[in-house]
């Protein structure tokens, strides 16, 4: 059995992208992180690592994060909060019955999906 230590993002601006995800996920910067570092680590239940690479993103992600809002937040509330942090909506896949998700892009264009919370899923 393996242990996954980090989910890693290749990016142009590690500190700026990590700042978005820090706010989005409530993760803390590793104490040795500097704003000009080529590698920036956010620590928490899931560690996110941001590494500077020279090439830009050219195709759809083959792996992405599925997220839900903080306890008590609905999917729609979380989408609105993430928009204020700098994310954009790529595709709205919400259904009239309350199911579905919203595919969003972080500030560097990495896809992630906002899903219904566990409480919402139980309701409908």
């Amino acid at each position: 059995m393996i242990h996954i230590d980090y989910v890693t993002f290749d990016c142009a601006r590690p500190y700026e992208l990590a700042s978005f995800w820090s706010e989005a996920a409530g993760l803390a910067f590793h104490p040795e992180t500097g704003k000009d570092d080529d590698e920036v680590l956010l620590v928490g239940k899931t560690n996110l690592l941001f590494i500077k690479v020279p090439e830009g993103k050219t195709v759809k992600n083959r792996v992405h994060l599925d997220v839900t809002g903080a306890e008590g937040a609905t999917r729609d509330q979380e989408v609105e909060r993430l928009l204020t942090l700098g994310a954009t909506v790529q595709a709205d896949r919400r259904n009239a019955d309350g199911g579905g998700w919203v595919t969003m892009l972080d500030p560097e264009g990495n896809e992630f999906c906002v899903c219904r919370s566990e409480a919402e899923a139980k309701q409908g």
Side-chain angles (χ1 to χ4, degrees), residues 38-120:
D38 287 343
E39 295 184 9
V40 175
L41 177 62
L42 297 179
V43 292
K45 185 176 178 183
T46 301
N47 296 312
L48 301 181
L49 178 62
F50 302 85
I51 298 178
K52 186 175 185 172
V53 296
E55 67 277 356
K57 183 177 179 301
T58 58
V59 297
K60 182 183 183 307
N61 294 12
R62 295 291 304 259
V63 175
H64 67 268
L65 304 178
D66 284 352
V67 303
T68 56
E71 190 172 328
T74 67
R75 175 194 53 217
D76 298 343
Q77 290 169 329
E78 192 59 27
V79 166
E80 291 305 315
R81 186 180 78 84
L82 292 165
L83 287 169
T84 66
L85 294 177
T88 57
V89 172
Q90 181 188 46
D92 192 334
R93 308 237 187 256
R94 290 177 274 199
N95 300 322
D97 68 359
W101 63 91
V102 178
T103 303
M104 300 188 81
L105 303 175
D106 72 16
E108 286 207 17
N110 299 299
E111 297 94 1
F112 64 99
C113 295
V114 182
C115 305
R116 292 191 303 174
S117 67
E118 191 174 314
E120 287 178 290

Side-chain angles (χ1 to χ4, degrees), residues 13-30:
R13 298 179 328 274
Y15 190 85
E16 289 82 358
L17 190 57
S19 294
F20 167 82
W21 282 103
S22 174
E23 287 292 320
L27 298 174
F29 282 90
H30 186 278

